Amino acid sequence: MTVLDVRKLVLLREVGARGSIAAAAQALNYTRSAVSQQLSALESETGAALLDRGSKRAELTAAGRLLVAHTERVLAQLEAAEAQLLARDGKVTGELRVGVPLHEGPALLVPALSRLRARHPELRITLHGVDPDEGRQTVRLGKLDAVLASGYPQVPEPRVPGLYEEEVISDRIRLAIAPGHPLARSEEPRALAEFAEQPWLLDRTSKLGQLVLHLCADAGFVPDIVSDIGDMQAVFGLVSLDWGVALVPDLVPDRPGHPVARIALKGIRPIRRITLVVREGALDSPPVATLLPAVREAADELRRSAGQICQPTTDELRPPEVGELRRGEAGGTPGPAADERCRPTSEETFGPMV
């Protein structure tokens, strides 16, 4: 019986995740030829074609996908074994690599990580900026140990194998408009269709951008996109200057010196879910095991400081019915109008780095 080499399996997994042998080689500090040779050897050992080399991308064959699925379970078991060994003496040491999305990420993670650093001085904690849409894969591939990720119930996503996700907080999504806009002082929710003729700021490649495009289509119009910048602080600056309007989550802080008005939407309930993502095999490792409760505690504090108005209701949090996004919702119970408690400042959001 041939015993497959775990290192070769990891190479196959990396190629499948990154879409090319060259990208996998660069990520693992190998030469392209070395990766190609190892994968050819793995195909010889298994007697199956694992990569479709006729396509432009290095796509996995059905046999390759099957092998990678087993590889995920093997790696999770190996990591879990290592984690349990490290947990025997009760010490929390080593390094915890945490991915932090800009802007709202520090509000959750900095208080939690500050506590961990104070309680476990032998634990080295490093922070890494991540793209909100790429954090899961970064954790899956072992580049980070944990990351905050965002998701939208109206934009379904396939589950990433090998990951454990725990929702820590949710917030509503509202419309940001310039303070001089005629509707800026409106205390009533407004229909999205009222802004059909406005210029829009959105990154159509992001999950939030995809949500906005769906919502606009459901309201009967195609947004006139005048900026595809995805950085939310840049978006707030442009909105403040009346360059356009944008949908933004409540917990993303205003940009200092660039005020905007946030108004609730009528008849629809877009929300964002923020989850903490770790590898399943790392759940018992001392650093991750101490991180989870610390983040839960920080999330509870953030809910209290943000005020009830920022928190979606139970009905808002339920998953949408099939086709609900496309049908829209006539009537319903809209959320309350915008409130200052839903607009944390940069100081409130980032908190002290101590």
Side-chain angles (χ1 to χ4, degrees):
M1 179 182 67
T2 301
V3 178
L4 298 179
D5 188 337
V6 173
R7 291 171 296 183
K8 295 175 185 175
L9 296 176
V10 170
L11 287 178
L12 179 66
R13 172 176 174 258
E14 194 85 23
V15 171
R18 299 190 181 277
S20 77
I21 293 176
Q26 182 178 14
L28 297 173
N29 293 320
Y30 289 169
T31 65
R32 188 186 187 284
S33 61
V35 173
S36 184
Q37 290 171 10
Q38 291 295 307
L39 293 179
S40 294
L42 183 60
E43 288 180 320
S44 297
E45 293 167 6
T46 59
L50 304 176
L51 287 176
D52 180 6
R53 291 179 169 81
S55 61
K56 293 182 179 179
R57 288 171 53 87
E59 296 181 358
L60 299 182
T61 63
R65 293 192 295 272
L66 176 64
L67 195 53
V68 166
H70 283 286
T71 300
E72 296 286 358
R73 291 191 285 272
V74 169
L75 293 176
Q77 289 295 320
L78 290 174
E79 186 170 25
E82 182 180 6
Q84 291 174 19
L85 287 173
L86 292 173
R88 288 184 305 168
D89 60 7
K91 294 181 180 180
V92 182
T93 60
E95 182 177 5
L96 180 65
R97 303 161 300 169
V98 183
V100 184
L102 296 178
H103 311 315
E104 70 272 30
L108 279 169
L109 288 178
V110 169
L113 296 176
S114 295
R115 291 190 183 100
L116 286 187
R117 191 164 60 178
R119 295 169 184 168
H120 307 286
E122 295 184 17
L123 176 64
R124 173 178 168 81
I125 301 173
T126 58
L127 306 181
H128 307 266
V130 296
D131 185 307
D133 292 344
E134 297 177 358
R136 290 181 177 88
Q137 285 292 352
T138 306
V139 172
R140 177 200 175 203
L141 296 175
K143 308 304 179 185
L144 296 175
D145 301 306
V147 72
L148 280 183
S150 297
Y152 305 88
Q154 298 92 342
V155 183
E157 295 181 81
R159 179 183 176 275
V160 179
L163 297 184
Y164 169 83
E165 289 202 35
E166 179 175 316
E167 182 176 333
V168 292
I169 199 167
S170 296
D171 59 349
R172 292 190 181 98
I173 297 172
R174 302 176 193 259
L175 187 74
I177 59 179
H181 192 284
L183 296 177
R185 297 186 178 277
S186 174
E187 297 183 356
E188 298 296 326
R190 313 300 303 196
L192 194 62
E194 295 182 58
F195 301 88
E197 301 302 320
Q198 297 287 314
W200 280 78
L201 314 172
L202 67 93
D203 175 8
R204 67 181 78 220
T205 65
S206 69
K207 287 179 290 187
L208 178 58
Q210 294 170 31
L211 172 63
V212 175
L213 290 173
H214 282 301
L215 293 176
C216 291
D218 198 47
F221 69 95
V222 176
D224 176 20
I225 302 173
V226 297
S227 171
D228 61 1
I229 297 174
D231 181 86
M232 293 307 298
Q233 292 299 288
V235 168
F236 277 125
L238 292 171
V239 170
S240 178
L241 296 171
D242 203 17
W243 191 258
V245 301
L247 287 184
V248 296
D250 279 347
L251 291 176
V252 178
D254 285 356
R255 180 175 176 178
H258 294 79
V260 301
R262 304 196 197 196
I263 61 175
L265 298 173
K266 183 178 181 180
I268 56 177
R269 54 174 191 270
I271 66 168
R272 176 184 62 161
R273 287 187 168 100
I274 299 177
T275 60
L276 183 67
V277 182
V278 300
R279 287 182 302 281
E280 290 177 343
L283 284 170
D284 290 331
S285 72
V288 171
T290 56
L291 173 64
L292 289 169
V295 172
R296 295 181 195 122
E297 185 179 352
D300 288 340
E301 293 174 353
L302 185 58
R303 288 189 193 94
R304 291 192 293 269
S305 66
Q308 290 296 324
I309 194 169
C310 286
Q311 299 175 39
T313 64
T314 301
D315 185 58
E316 287 175 317
L317 288 171
R318 74 170 176 81
E321 301 293 339
V322 176
E324 181 176 350
L325 179 65
R326 301 300 307 137
R327 289 200 310 269
E329 298 173 7
T333 304
D339 187 285
E340 288 301 319
R341 289 176 295 168
C342 279
R343 301 167 60 185
T345 65
S346 292
E347 180 179 356
E348 293 170 330
T349 300
F350 282 83
M353 293 292 289
V354 296

